[in-house]
Short mmCIF file of all heavy atoms in Angstrom, two decimals:
data_model
loop_
_atom_site.label_atom_id
_atom_site.label_comp_id
_atom_site.label_asym_id
_atom_site.label_seq_id
_atom_site.Cartn_x
_atom_site.Cartn_y
_atom_site.Cartn_z
N VAL A 504 -23.32 19.87 -14.58
CA VAL A 504 -22.39 19.28 -15.54
C VAL A 504 -21.16 20.17 -15.70
O VAL A 504 -20.02 19.68 -15.75
CB VAL A 504 -23.09 19.07 -16.90
CG1 VAL A 504 -22.07 18.67 -17.97
CG2 VAL A 504 -24.15 17.99 -16.78
N MET A 505 -21.36 21.49 -15.77
CA MET A 505 -20.25 22.42 -15.90
C MET A 505 -19.31 22.33 -14.70
O MET A 505 -18.09 22.31 -14.85
CB MET A 505 -20.78 23.84 -16.04
CG MET A 505 -19.69 24.89 -16.24
SD MET A 505 -20.32 26.57 -16.22
CE MET A 505 -20.85 26.71 -14.50
N VAL A 506 -19.89 22.25 -13.50
CA VAL A 506 -19.07 22.13 -12.28
C VAL A 506 -18.23 20.86 -12.32
O VAL A 506 -17.03 20.88 -12.00
CB VAL A 506 -19.97 22.15 -11.03
CG1 VAL A 506 -19.17 21.76 -9.78
CG2 VAL A 506 -20.59 23.53 -10.84
N SER A 507 -18.83 19.75 -12.73
CA SER A 507 -18.10 18.48 -12.76
C SER A 507 -17.01 18.50 -13.82
O SER A 507 -15.91 17.98 -13.61
CB SER A 507 -19.07 17.31 -13.02
OG SER A 507 -19.60 17.38 -14.34
N ARG A 508 -17.26 19.14 -14.97
CA ARG A 508 -16.25 19.23 -16.03
C ARG A 508 -15.07 20.09 -15.60
O ARG A 508 -13.92 19.75 -15.86
CB ARG A 508 -16.87 19.80 -17.30
CG ARG A 508 -17.93 18.93 -17.96
CD ARG A 508 -17.34 17.68 -18.59
NE ARG A 508 -18.35 16.95 -19.34
CZ ARG A 508 -19.14 16.00 -18.87
NH1 ARG A 508 -19.03 15.67 -17.59
NH2 ARG A 508 -20.01 15.37 -19.64
N ILE A 509 -15.37 21.22 -14.95
CA ILE A 509 -14.30 22.10 -14.47
C ILE A 509 -13.47 21.38 -13.40
O ILE A 509 -12.24 21.45 -13.40
CB ILE A 509 -14.88 23.41 -13.91
CG1 ILE A 509 -15.48 24.24 -15.04
CG2 ILE A 509 -13.80 24.21 -13.18
CD1 ILE A 509 -16.19 25.50 -14.57
N ALA A 510 -14.16 20.67 -12.51
CA ALA A 510 -13.45 19.91 -11.48
C ALA A 510 -12.56 18.84 -12.10
O ALA A 510 -11.44 18.58 -11.62
CB ALA A 510 -14.46 19.28 -10.52
N ASN A 511 -13.04 18.23 -13.18
CA ASN A 511 -12.26 17.20 -13.86
C ASN A 511 -10.99 17.79 -14.47
O ASN A 511 -9.90 17.20 -14.40
CB ASN A 511 -13.10 16.54 -14.96
CG ASN A 511 -12.44 15.30 -15.52
OD1 ASN A 511 -11.94 14.45 -14.79
ND2 ASN A 511 -12.41 15.18 -16.83
N MET A 512 -11.09 19.00 -15.04
CA MET A 512 -9.91 19.66 -15.60
C MET A 512 -8.94 20.08 -14.50
O MET A 512 -7.72 20.02 -14.67
CB MET A 512 -10.34 20.88 -16.43
CG MET A 512 -11.01 20.53 -17.75
SD MET A 512 -11.27 21.97 -18.81
CE MET A 512 -12.50 22.87 -17.86
N MET A 513 -9.48 20.48 -13.36
CA MET A 513 -8.62 20.93 -12.26
C MET A 513 -7.77 19.81 -11.69
O MET A 513 -6.62 20.04 -11.27
CB MET A 513 -9.49 21.54 -11.15
CG MET A 513 -10.09 22.89 -11.49
SD MET A 513 -11.22 23.48 -10.22
CE MET A 513 -10.13 23.57 -8.79
N GLN A 514 -8.30 18.57 -11.70
CA GLN A 514 -7.54 17.49 -11.09
C GLN A 514 -6.49 16.92 -12.03
O GLN A 514 -5.59 16.19 -11.59
CB GLN A 514 -8.49 16.37 -10.62
CG GLN A 514 -9.35 15.71 -11.69
CD GLN A 514 -8.65 14.61 -12.45
OE1 GLN A 514 -7.69 14.03 -11.94
NE2 GLN A 514 -9.14 14.31 -13.64
N GLN A 515 -6.54 17.23 -13.33
CA GLN A 515 -5.61 16.63 -14.29
C GLN A 515 -4.15 16.94 -14.01
O GLN A 515 -3.30 16.03 -14.09
CB GLN A 515 -6.01 17.04 -15.71
CG GLN A 515 -7.29 16.39 -16.19
CD GLN A 515 -7.68 16.80 -17.60
OE1 GLN A 515 -6.85 17.28 -18.37
NE2 GLN A 515 -8.94 16.63 -17.95
N PRO A 516 -3.78 18.19 -13.69
CA PRO A 516 -2.36 18.44 -13.36
C PRO A 516 -1.88 17.64 -12.15
O PRO A 516 -0.72 17.18 -12.13
CB PRO A 516 -2.32 19.95 -13.08
CG PRO A 516 -3.52 20.50 -13.77
CD PRO A 516 -4.56 19.44 -13.67
N PHE A 517 -2.76 17.46 -11.17
CA PHE A 517 -2.37 16.68 -10.00
C PHE A 517 -2.20 15.20 -10.35
O PHE A 517 -1.35 14.52 -9.77
CB PHE A 517 -3.42 16.83 -8.90
CG PHE A 517 -3.53 18.23 -8.35
CD1 PHE A 517 -4.49 19.10 -8.81
CD2 PHE A 517 -2.64 18.67 -7.38
CE1 PHE A 517 -4.59 20.39 -8.32
CE2 PHE A 517 -2.72 19.96 -6.88
CZ PHE A 517 -3.69 20.83 -7.35
N THR A 518 -2.98 14.72 -11.32
CA THR A 518 -2.83 13.34 -11.78
C THR A 518 -1.51 13.17 -12.49
O THR A 518 -0.81 12.17 -12.31
CB THR A 518 -4.00 12.96 -12.71
OG1 THR A 518 -5.24 13.20 -12.04
CG2 THR A 518 -3.93 11.49 -13.09
#
Side-chain angles (χ1 to χ4, degrees):
V504 170
M505 182 186 67
V506 169
S507 68
R508 294 290 187 270
I509 292 175
N511 191 46
M512 288 189 293
M513 288 175 61
Q514 60 84 23
Q515 289 180 20
F517 295 97
T518 305

